[in-house]
Amino acid sequence: MGGRGNSNDHVRRHNLSVILGLVHRHRGLSRSLLTRQTGLNRSTIAALVAELVSLDLVMEVDPDASNQVGRPSPVVRPSPHTIGIAVNPEIDAVTVGIVGLGGTVMKRVRYPVDHTPSVREAVDISAAVIAGMRAELDPRYTTTGIGVAVPGLVRTQDGLVRLAPHLGWEDEPFAELLEEATGLTVVAANDAHLGTLAESTFGAGRGVTDLIYLNGGASGIGGGIISGGKPLGGAAGYAGELGHTLVNSHGAPCHCGAEGCLETEVRRERLLALVGLTNADGDELEAALVASTDPAVLAEVHRQLGFLAVALRNAINTLNPELIILGGFLASIYAVDPAHLDGLLARQPLKASRESVRVTRAELGADLLIIGAAELAFEALLADPANFRASAAPSAE
């Protein structure tokens, strides 16, 4: 009997995880849809939802009955009281955000810096901003942990930053130091991988099983790949470094040791200089690029789009994606003249591969990496909602 009870408990915990995961990813589903998507019966769904409500992880709301026939099913939505914290250190700023279940960004603070922060400086800035944010929260809020989006190579098993070249970090235990500073569980991963996760879950890649995400930021260009509906990480989690694709055999040396990498030819600072900006966020840069009538700006955009097309040609021929999502300043240069890049990609890749691929911009904008990093903070909760609360850190008073 004991073994049978343990088995039943395991099934219940698994089903709670499935239900909470669906509600989180869809930002709310009716009970009837949960029944259809899980194959569980209505009474089981009702019991599981009631348990998640008692844990304050979901809430039930009345549906819009205006277009319904018959008795409408209650809608299960993520609770607003469960939050994850996201951190994104960059060469010109440290951004910290509070994100609710369902990928809802509640607050985002960009803390500019006038020099590339050391690991200790980034930890201290992050910890101070996090302390201030948590002090403003109502005591009902539960903080699940911290997720960090790092512009560099991050070892999957322990979050060690193996190399973040633009930050000048090598083999730095950023996650461990931030955990010591905040008392919260910290998980770190590559920023582009997390952007891929966010866009495939909540953004332009919803429902797409084969896609490439390519992001341009202050620290260079990174990418992520979804293949067959699953993230492609490689043996140690380093896959997707599309910023180091060779695009110019006579190009400038790259910090990685090679020459002519994509991120040596396609660079944010060149765009900032041409439009007269320095420490600007992505929205400001894009607005300036789109509004510019300077021929030099358009010429630089076309030059960068040309090299981007070379990298994407290689990726299309190798990976045969259905969708390419551009984020950060790559989305901005695409916005200036989308027909230019589309025309290059209509000719350069293999015909069979290019026929099915389309290019689009990331939908989540400036919140992209914050939402992606928060997914790390939610991982343990989503995996085992019933047993998570015991290890969750309390909210600040």
Side-chain angles (χ1 to χ4, degrees):
M1 291 294 291
R4 184 177 178 182
N6 290 336
S7 176
N8 288 339
D9 181 61
H10 175 78
V11 170
R12 178 184 64 83
R13 287 164 53 190
H14 169 76
N15 288 338
L16 285 171
S17 173
V18 170
I19 297 299
L20 184 59
L22 285 169
V23 172
H24 169 65
R25 291 190 297 273
H26 292 274
R27 294 175 166 166
L29 286 172
S30 69
R31 272 206 216 170
S32 59
L33 278 174
L34 287 171
T35 300
R36 287 201 292 271
Q37 292 201 21
T38 61
L40 300 171
N41 61 48
R42 287 184 295 176
S43 61
T44 299
I45 290 293
L48 292 168
V49 169
E51 184 169 352
L52 291 171
V53 169
S54 72
L55 294 170
D56 199 16
L57 297 176
V58 304
M59 59 183 181
E60 290 194 280
V61 298
D62 293 330
D64 178 7
S66 58
N67 296 317
Q68 301 265 352
V69 177
R71 184 179 178 181
S73 176
V75 175
V76 184
R77 298 195 186 282
S79 168
H81 300 138
T82 300
I83 61 167
I85 295 175
V87 174
N88 175 218
E90 273 281 13
I91 62 172
D92 58 353
V94 177
T95 303
V96 180
I98 293 178
V99 183
L101 282 172
T104 303
V105 177
M106 300 166 60
K107 186 170 185 177
R108 177 166 55 91
V109 174
R110 185 176 185 270
Y111 189 98
V113 292
D114 57 8
H115 62 279
T116 301
S118 67
V119 171
R120 175 49 62 184
E121 287 172 329
V123 166
D124 290 344
I125 291 169
S126 301
V129 174
I130 290 167
M133 285 180 161
R134 296 186 77 212
E136 296 174 357
L137 291 175
D138 186 287
R140 291 176 299 170
Y141 285 86
T142 297
T143 305
T144 61
I146 300 171
V148 184
V150 179
L153 301 178
V154 182
R155 193 162 64 191
T156 303
Q157 60 265 39
D158 58 6
L160 181 74
V161 180
R162 294 304 311 276
L163 180 65
H166 295 278
L167 290 170
W169 300 358
E170 185 171 356
D171 290 331
E172 294 285 2
F174 181 83
E176 179 182 330
L177 293 173
L178 187 58
E179 192 165 299
E180 292 174 358
T182 61
L184 294 168
T185 300
V186 180
V187 185
N190 173 261
D191 58 352
H193 287 192
L194 295 176
T196 307
L197 176 62
E199 279 293 329
S200 64
T201 304
F202 300 110
R206 291 186 303 272
V208 179
T209 59
D210 291 270
L211 65 84
I212 297 170
Y213 167 74
L214 202 58
N215 181 73
S219 292
I221 295 174
I225 302 160
I226 302 291
S227 179
K230 297 180 180 180
L232 184 63
Y238 305 145
E241 285 295 323
L242 297 172
H244 296 285
T245 300
L246 175 64
V247 296
N248 184 358
S249 58
H250 302 288
C254 180
H255 57 78
C256 72
E259 295 179 351
C261 291
L262 176 64
E263 67 175 43
T264 66
E265 299 292 346
V266 179
R267 301 188 66 84
R268 177 175 173 266
E269 59 263 32
R270 293 176 183 170
L271 300 166
L272 287 168
L274 282 171
V275 295
L277 296 173
T278 52
N279 195 344
D281 65 21
D283 293 340
E284 291 174 301
L285 174 59
E286 179 168 324
L289 289 172
V290 172
S292 176
T293 57
D294 185 349
V297 171
L298 184 60
E300 176 63 15
V301 166
H302 282 175
R303 190 191 71 81
Q304 294 200 19
L305 287 173
F307 285 115
L308 178 60
V310 174
L312 292 179
R313 175 190 70 193
N314 295 334
I316 291 168
N317 288 342
T318 303
L319 297 167
N320 187 211
E322 175 186 348
L323 180 69
I324 294 171
I325 303 173
L326 300 177
F329 79 85
L330 298 183
S332 299
I333 61 174
Y334 183 58
V336 174
D337 192 354
H340 188 78
L341 181 62
D342 291 343
L344 293 172
L345 293 181
R347 300 188 300 273
Q348 294 186 6
L350 293 169
K351 182 179 179 181
S353 298
R354 73 176 186 246
E355 285 178 339
S356 61
V357 71
R358 58 190 176 91
V359 179
T360 190
R361 291 161 49 89
E363 289 183 0
L364 302 178
D367 290 332
L368 178 79
L369 295 182
I370 294 300
I371 293 173
E375 288 296 284
L376 295 177
F378 291 135
E379 275 183 349
L381 170 67
L382 294 172
D384 193 357
N387 289 342
F388 181 79
R389 281 298 174 92
S391 61
S395 296
E397 294 294 339

